[in-house]
Amino acid sequence: YITPTAITIITLSIIMGTILTMSSYNWLMAWIGLELNMLAILPIISKPKTTRASEATIKYFLTQAIASAMMLLSSTTNAWQTGSWDILELKNKFSTTIMTLSLMMKMGAAPVHFWLPEVLQGTTLQTALLITTWQKLAPVTLMYMISNNIQPALLMSAGLLSMVVGGLGGINQTQLRKTMAYSSINNLGWTIMIMALSPNLAIMNITIYIIMTTPVFLMMKNTSMKTLQNLTTTWTTSTAMTLSIALLMLSTSGLPPFTGFMPKMLALNELITQKLTTLATLAIMTSLISLLFYLRIAYLIMMLTPPMT
């Protein structure tokens, strides 16, 4: 049991940590913000007194600690080379590569994504929502700030890999939290890939993803959904909510005419404008893979939902 005072302190620390990182101009302050945020969320992840929750907490702590260490290594190397701790002054090639990997590890993008499905599966739906939405804001903001200095090839290949991993990983899942984790990895792929060409578009992409994924988690919590099997039975108690989940899933997959189609279309438009047609084609192919598991969820709901009277 966590006391109301502890809950208030934890909540404030999570909010303060993210805001501190997002508003800092200096690598050390950004790092302190991320550490504060990470330490505050650990008791929330470990709140269910199960071995899975404890395991998830340790996995989360270790990956975030390694990412933080890489972040310090990168910023210190850069300060040693350039004499500046400014976030915008990250000019050293080695530093930018290490920093990009560190931020990708923080947000859970491939190839350093392994912790995300495991952590989400070991914790509650509210905490899963927190990890897939709020916890991504700080690293994405830092990546946005240094996007001019990162080699585009690194971002694009990492983005494409995240799309493939997110798509293939989600296909074989029956657990909804793991499915949502792979969905998150897939969407981060789009965000990272387009960050190389149009950082503003990347921010729009992640914002729309957060807006779409929040109600999904809240409705899953409301109806106590945990597996695909639950999906097929919840329509008896809450038909409108189950249908909303189906529509939000189709939107997250990027199917027109839903909202999720817009950032993907703009991203593809940007890729083709920059003469990266091959990359655009590959991106479309990978989004087809992820469409498969989104469609499966929507199909399970639509086919088994009786007509509303």
Side-chain angles (χ1 to χ4, degrees):
Y1 174 70
I2 304 179
T3 61
T5 318
I7 288 172
T8 311
I9 293 169
I10 288 168
T11 310
L12 282 173
S13 299
I14 288 174
I15 295 167
M16 284 286 296
T18 301
I19 291 172
L20 182 65
T21 302
M22 288 169 79
S23 58
S24 60
Y25 191 68
N26 183 299
W27 278 120
L28 282 176
M29 288 308 287
W31 176 79
I32 289 166
L34 285 167
E35 287 299 292
L36 177 68
N37 177 288
M38 188 248 304
L39 291 171
I41 203 172
L42 293 177
I44 295 182
I45 302 174
S46 64
K47 192 169 179 274
K49 294 286 172 277
T50 59
T51 47
R52 294 204 74 159
S54 309
E55 191 185 322
T57 312
I58 291 166
K59 282 176 181 169
Y60 186 82
F61 171 73
L62 288 174
T63 46
Q64 298 295 320
I66 292 165
S68 292
M70 285 166 67
M71 196 173 167
L72 271 184
L73 168 71
S74 163
S75 50
T76 312
T77 311
N78 187 66
W80 170 47
Q81 294 281 326
T82 63
S84 168
W85 282 96
D86 285 4
I87 290 177
L88 300 172
E89 293 295 315
L90 196 74
K91 297 283 193 286
N92 188 354
K93 274 263 174 72
F94 170 77
S95 291
T96 46
T97 309
I98 296 289
M99 185 60 75
T100 309
L101 279 170
S102 157
L103 294 174
M104 278 160 49
M105 200 168 181
K106 284 252 175 226
M107 59 177 102
V112 276
H113 65 282
F114 298 100
W115 62 272
L116 189 63
E118 295 298 320
V119 170
L120 290 203
Q121 190 53 39
T123 188
T124 61
L125 282 165
Q126 298 105 297
T127 317
L129 168 64
L130 194 64
I131 293 169
T132 47
T133 56
W134 183 262
Q135 294 299 91
K136 298 213 187 317
L137 294 179
V140 167
T141 309
L142 286 175
M143 194 177 265
Y144 176 82
M145 290 170 82
I146 62 166
S147 57
N148 287 339
N149 300 324
I150 309 172
Q151 293 124 302
L154 174 66
L155 284 178
M156 286 176 192
S157 47
L160 202 60
L161 184 63
S162 291
M163 287 182 208
V164 174
V165 165
L168 293 175
I171 288 175
N172 205 22
Q173 295 300 330
T174 53
Q175 296 287 337
L176 285 175
R177 275 168 297 182
K178 276 196 173 172
T179 308
M180 293 305 286
Y182 283 108
S183 157
S184 169
I185 294 166
N186 180 46
N187 273 280
L188 274 174
W190 282 90
T191 304
I192 292 170
M193 182 181 72
I194 207 63
M195 186 78 80
L197 304 173
S198 170
N200 292 345
L201 196 52
I203 295 296
M204 190 191 82
N205 187 45
I206 195 82
T207 309
I208 288 177
Y209 166 72
I210 289 172
I211 292 167
M212 287 187 304
T213 207
T214 306
V216 173
F217 272 111
L218 292 175
M219 287 188 280
M220 275 160 55
K221 178 191 172 291
N222 209 335
T223 50
S224 304
M225 274 188 215
K226 288 193 170 60
T227 60
L228 282 177
Q229 188 102 39
N230 298 149
L231 264 183
T232 59
T233 53
T234 38
W235 59 258
T236 47
T237 50
S238 42
T239 317
M241 210 175 271
T242 326
L243 279 172
S244 303
I245 290 180
L247 292 174
L248 279 162
M249 283 293 175
L250 291 176
S251 183
T252 316
S253 70
L255 206 64
F258 299 103
T259 317
F261 173 62
M262 183 180 61
K264 288 193 175 179
M265 184 188 70
L266 291 170
L268 291 171
N269 181 44
E270 185 68 33
L271 286 171
I272 292 163
T273 310
Q274 302 281 356
K275 303 279 189 291
L276 294 163
T277 324
T278 316
L279 192 62
T281 313
L282 286 169
I284 294 168
M285 294 299 196
T286 54
S287 80
L288 280 177
I289 305 170
S290 61
L291 180 64
L292 185 62
F293 71 82
Y294 289 118
L295 271 179
R296 187 176 58 175
I297 294 172
Y299 173 82
L300 278 174
I301 294 170
M302 298 294 195
M303 287 300 108
L304 296 161
T305 307
M308 284 188 182
T309 49

